[in-house]
Amino acid sequence: MIDFIASRPSSFDNISQAIVWVYNHGSIKKKESACVSIPPQLVKKDNKWYWKTDLAASEPYWNGWFKDLNNDFLSVPAPKLLILAGTDRLDKNMLIAQMAGKFQLVVMPSCGHQIQEDDPKSTANILLTFLRRNRLLPD
């Protein structure tokens, strides 16, 4: 996260510049998605566009957010689905649990960090299929 924040420009001359940066950085892999989701994340001050949220200010909370998250996820007594753009961040326990059938893993390598924005239709279809298969939708 630190590397991402360090690489992220603090301001832009215009919204289009921000959209191009996000797209080129690969956070969002579809330009149409970036055009929709990036403008609301910016605020104009003194003829420059800045991120509304200072991600670096949240650093003291990062460990708390992720501490034991994998174990908490695996301990939920319900069907589980994990949708990722890549498996590079899965730790050993999660890989073993996935191979043991503890949760369903779907990898969408054509997507960036915002999977639901890059491919909303496929994401919705994956969720609906999971919910139907596990009888989690009302009749």
Side-chain angles (χ1 to χ4, degrees):
M1 185 78 157
I2 292 287
D3 292 338
F4 171 75
I5 291 172
S7 73
R8 188 168 96 149
S10 60
S11 67
F12 302 94
D13 292 330
N14 54 58
I15 290 177
S16 296
Q17 191 179 48
I19 291 167
V20 168
W21 182 84
V22 169
Y23 177 74
N24 288 340
H25 186 267
S27 297
I28 298 177
K29 292 189 177 181
K30 289 192 177 170
K31 203 169 236 181
E32 311 86 54
S33 299
C35 288
V36 171
S37 67
I38 296 307
Q41 296 180 46
L42 301 169
V43 63
K44 190 172 186 178
K45 295 181 202 168
D46 302 322
N47 292 323
K48 289 270 197 183
W49 291 90
Y50 296 88
W51 298 107
K52 285 182 181 177
T53 304
D54 178 5
L55 293 179
S58 66
E59 183 181 4
Y61 306 100
W62 296 347
N63 285 337
W65 286 342
F66 300 111
K67 185 178 176 170
D68 296 325
L69 185 60
N70 290 348
N71 291 333
D72 290 345
F73 173 75
L74 294 172
S75 70
V76 172
K80 293 172 276 302
L81 169 67
L82 182 60
I83 305 173
L84 300 173
T87 58
D88 55 319
R89 303 258 171 127
L90 280 181
D91 66 17
K92 181 181 175 182
N93 289 341
M94 289 293 280
L95 285 171
I96 292 170
Q98 191 274 326
M99 288 188 280
K102 302 287 184 185
F103 65 93
Q104 179 184 343
L105 174 65
V106 176
V107 180
M108 298 176 67
S110 64
C111 295
H113 185 69
Q114 287 97 352
I115 293 168
Q116 73 283 358
E117 293 181 22
D118 278 332
D119 197 344
K121 188 173 184 178
S122 292
T123 303
N125 286 333
I126 290 165
L127 288 169
L128 285 171
T129 299
F130 175 80
L131 293 170
R132 286 183 184 122
R133 186 177 58 252
N134 290 284
R135 295 185 172 98
L136 297 172
L137 287 177
D139 290 332

